[in-house]
Amino acid sequence: MGRDKVERHIQTGAEYVTGPDCSCLMHMAGVAKKQGLKIQFMHVVEILAAGL
Amino acid sequence: MSTQHSKAAKEFLQNQQYAHWHDATFWAVRTKRDNMAMGLDEWEQLREKASAIKRHTITHLDEYLDQFATNAEKNGVEVHWAKDAQEFNEIVYGILKNHDVKKMVKSKSMLTEECEMNPYLEAHGIEVVETDLGERIIQLKDQKPSHIVMPAIHLNHDDVGELFEEKGISNEKGNHDPTYLTYMARLSLRNEFLTADAGMTGANFGIAETGDIVVCTNEGNADMSTSCPKLHIAAIGLEKIIPNYDCLAVFQRMLCRAGTGQPTTTYTSHFRKARPTAHHMHIVLVDNGRSEWIANPEHWESLKCIRCGSCMNTCPVYRRSGGYSYSYFIPGPIGINLGMLRDPQAHSGNVSACTLCNSCQTVCPVKVNLGDQIYLWRQQLDSLGTANPQKKLMCRAMSMFYGSSSLYNFGTGMAHWANLIPSPVINSGLNPWAEGHKMMQFPQKPFHEIIKGITKSEK
């Protein structure tokens, strides 16, 4: 399921995937990195904090 | 930590191409259901009505069963009551023996699967021929159904073509065209219908007001099974009884829309009494635990189920693991719940075959709270003695860690040292999370330290 989810994110053309749930992001990021896929995952507060 | 389901699912997923095809097949059926549901403005009202009818009927089941049996008997039908699977098999065998039956054709009945009727009858010298094409295919392959409505869905037309060549049902070697194969199956089954001594059907619904049983098929095999042989036996679970035709109309609109994405099955047949030239019609009402389950305050709503298959079609876990991964004969969300009612110790493994996405609950035409109930079962595992000891230990450790701010702050502050653990250790079998995932890199400073620093400096 993780692989299918990451695959669908990639198909949108997105470079970054964000969300509020750490375990969800960790799961997908772990799957993507294991497969050597370029898409990146950031928690939403990292994006907000980048503006501080 | 692995359950039977997760091990079986892992094997299923080894063949990624097959797994994708299986997943896509069921998603297509889910999509058809969506089209049907969105095409009816009153879809949600119908779901609520269907749920209400079932809740009422199940909580007054004694009255409706009495009414059903009385009316069926007024029609000249012989009504039998089976308290469990063994009694059911004995009753059916008794009726068949009285009529000297050598061969019985049957239309689809998951109830007979539940009671393991086929092997029982075969052991007593009676040939049983499945006439639903999917059931017939798996019967010939000596396999079990992998889905409650589409039992052979896990096979493709090459599998069926080769099977038919092997069994002499098909004449043209290498012709695996579905239309051709279906035509040859039809010829083969015609012969079975004409030479059978008895026909058995299940029942989608039993109507209390009239004593009718209602059977829905796309193939007309229930009709053929009851039109040719002179003896008709109908097997029905207690919970399938509904009050009257008005109620039937609600379920009839939903059953196929939900389960197969069709507005209705090709044939929706009522059976009220034996034809004039035939023997009696027999109905066997089966309990086999249902009357006990009605008394279960947290799980009785599983008895509302009309066996449409909608929940498994949508379930992301079922789609990617298949019916054979589950330990109970009914797979998917409803199977997880019914299996736990049947034998919680034996089927506890299935409750983790669920992401709690609640898609099942959203599509269920009778609003069975499938996901909520699975969540409840999970909470009962410890008292059932089937909670996984490693997971219990992990949960205790996490409670301690997350429950103490000093431990948590210390731990998250030190976490970056874990980045130095060599990868053969991290990826060893001891770390179950490393399978399928590359471990994350912990940051030098945890986020809440960074934000504390920022807010302090702003003051």
Side-chain angles (χ1 to χ4, degrees):
Chain A
M1 279 168 63
R3 284 198 296 260
D4 286 351
K5 200 82 183 169
V6 171
E7 190 51 51
R8 284 197 206 106
H9 291 320
I10 291 173
Q11 278 170 17
T12 65
E15 292 166 56
Y16 292 90
V17 176
T18 188
D21 189 279
C22 280
S23 73
C24 170
L25 292 168
M26 272 165 55
H27 171 46
M28 291 190 291
V31 166
K33 287 206 185 101
K34 183 104 180 185
Q35 311 239 293
L37 299 165
K38 290 244 165 36
I39 195 162
Q40 294 189 65
F41 295 81
M42 283 178 80
H43 192 283
V44 65
V45 293
E46 292 184 85
I47 295 175
L48 296 169
L52 291 171
Chain B
M1 269 210 292
S2 294
T3 57
Q4 180 201 321
H5 180 274
S6 70
K7 289 189 194 127
K10 187 174 175 176
E11 269 197 57
F12 183 91
L13 291 165
Q14 299 280 36
N15 185 340
Q16 285 194 31
Q17 204 183 20
Y18 178 75
H20 273 300
W21 169 77
H22 189 269
D23 176 41
T25 300
F26 284 102
W27 189 251
V29 188
R30 159 73 209 255
T31 308
K32 282 196 195 150
R33 178 220 87 101
D34 290 350
N35 292 336
M36 285 288 130
M38 292 189 279
L40 287 184
D41 288 335
E42 65 272 30
W43 180 256
E44 287 300 323
Q45 285 170 272
L46 283 170
R47 287 183 73 216
E48 185 52 44
K49 196 84 188 178
S51 171
I53 294 169
K54 280 284 176 175
R55 282 196 176 133
H56 166 79
T57 314
I58 290 167
T59 51
H60 297 79
L61 198 57
D62 56 335
E63 295 164 30
Y64 288 109
L65 283 171
D66 200 19
Q67 195 187 9
F68 175 77
T70 305
N71 286 323
E73 279 163 354
K74 276 198 200 132
N75 296 330
V77 173
E78 205 170 322
V79 177
H80 310 257
W81 304 84
K83 73 173 191 295
D84 56 26
Q86 178 66 18
E87 199 167 48
F88 170 74
N89 293 335
E90 286 167 0
I91 290 169
V92 171
Y93 176 60
I95 300 166
L96 297 176
K97 192 152 164 263
N98 282 345
H99 290 88
D100 252 325
V101 171
K102 303 282 182 302
K103 175 158 76 179
M104 179 173 81
V105 284
K106 63 182 277 240
S107 68
K108 213 155 135 25
S109 167
M110 286 304 278
L111 176 61
T112 62
E113 190 69 43
E114 179 182 319
C115 298
E116 295 178 278
M117 183 199 78
N118 288 15
Y120 181 93
L121 291 179
E122 270 151 15
H124 287 77
I126 295 178
E127 190 191 346
V128 180
V129 179
E130 295 283 353
T131 61
D132 172 280
L133 183 53
E135 290 284 352
R136 181 60 174 154
I137 288 166
I138 58 170
Q139 182 179 44
L140 291 171
K141 276 188 94 90
D142 204 18
Q143 280 182 6
K144 297 264 162 211
S146 69
H147 186 275
I148 62 172
V149 173
M150 299 173 281
I153 195 73
H154 59 288
L155 301 169
N156 64 32
H157 51 99
D158 287 318
D159 295 322
V160 179
E162 283 160 26
L163 172 72
F164 281 8
E165 282 160 19
E166 191 200 325
K167 299 287 176 180
I169 292 175
S170 134
N171 286 333
E172 290 175 35
K173 202 167 158 73
N175 184 352
H176 296 173
D177 173 69
T179 307
Y180 169 71
L181 293 173
T182 307
Y183 177 69
M184 296 313 285
R186 184 176 145 123
L187 286 178
S188 164
L189 286 170
R190 278 295 151 96
N191 184 54
E192 304 291 348
F193 291 128
L194 292 169
T195 56
D197 311 303
M200 169 174 271
T201 66
N204 293 86
F205 308 101
I207 317 294
E209 197 173 66
T210 54
D212 299 353
I213 57 146
V214 181
V215 186
C216 307
T217 70
N218 279 316
E219 298 167 27
N221 55 315
D223 310 85
M224 290 297 289
S225 295
T226 51
S227 300
C228 303
K230 286 185 179 253
L231 173 65
H232 174 198
I233 307 174
I236 182 169
L238 299 184
E239 86 282 23
K240 295 294 196 69
I241 303 299
I242 58 176
N244 53 42
Y245 279 8
D246 282 347
C247 295
L248 176 67
V250 175
F251 296 106
Q252 166 56 14
R253 297 197 74 205
M254 308 203 79
L255 178 66
C256 302
R257 284 188 167 91
T260 57
Q262 302 169 273
T264 184
T265 35
T266 312
Y267 300 89
T268 302
S269 303
H270 292 236
F271 298 96
R272 184 176 291 187
K273 49 173 86 169
R275 2 184 261 283
T277 53
H279 297 298
H280 291 299
M281 177 175 156
H282 295 256
I283 295 177
V284 190
L285 284 149
V286 183
D287 183 350
N288 202 29
R290 289 154 174 78
S291 54
E292 237 180 80
W293 302 343
I294 294 175
N296 185 321
E298 287 170 334
H299 298 288
W300 70 278
E301 296 217 34
S302 291
L303 288 167
K304 295 190 300 185
C305 175
I306 57 174
R307 303 291 193 273
C308 71
S310 191
C311 59
M312 47 198 89
N313 296 342
T314 195
C315 176
V317 178
Y318 173 84
R319 285 188 270 123
R320 290 178 181 79
S321 59
Y324 295 152
S325 296
Y326 297 78
S327 61
Y328 194 51
F329 78 104
I330 297 178
I334 188 63
I336 295 175
N337 284 305
L338 291 175
M340 289 302 281
L341 281 169
R342 171 70 56 207
D343 186 346
Q345 271 76 26
H347 301 297
S348 277
N350 294 330
V351 302
S352 48
C354 172
T355 63
L356 296 177
C357 75
N358 277 348
S359 187
C360 49
Q361 201 155 294
T362 310
V363 302
C364 177
V366 292
K367 292 193 170 181
V368 179
N369 53 343
L370 294 157
D372 291 349
Q373 282 190 54
I374 292 173
Y375 184 51
L376 282 173
W377 281 118
R378 287 190 184 180
Q379 292 166 60
Q380 287 158 27
L381 291 184
D382 204 21
S383 58
L384 290 167
T386 51
N388 179 278
Q390 285 157 297
K391 285 181 183 168
K392 272 176 78 168
L393 196 66
M394 275 168 56
C395 285
R396 278 210 196 102
M398 284 195 282
S399 297
M400 210 170 59
F401 183 72
Y402 291 119
S404 148
S405 46
S406 52
L407 250 181
Y408 180 78
N409 288 334
F410 179 74
T412 51
M414 292 285 117
H416 61 95
W417 291 108
N419 296 340
L420 298 173
I421 299 175
S423 87
V425 178
I426 281 277
N427 292 320
S428 75
L430 289 171
N431 181 6
W433 208 78
E435 187 181 334
H437 302 97
K438 186 142 187 250
M439 290 305 277
M440 71 245 114
Q441 293 294 292
F442 290 99
Q444 287 298 112
K445 228 180 178 184
F447 181 80
H448 57 266
E449 289 296 318
I450 299 173
I451 208 73
K452 252 191 248 165
I454 294 172
T455 50
K456 261 200 192 120
S457 69
E458 282 184 349
K459 280 190 180 138

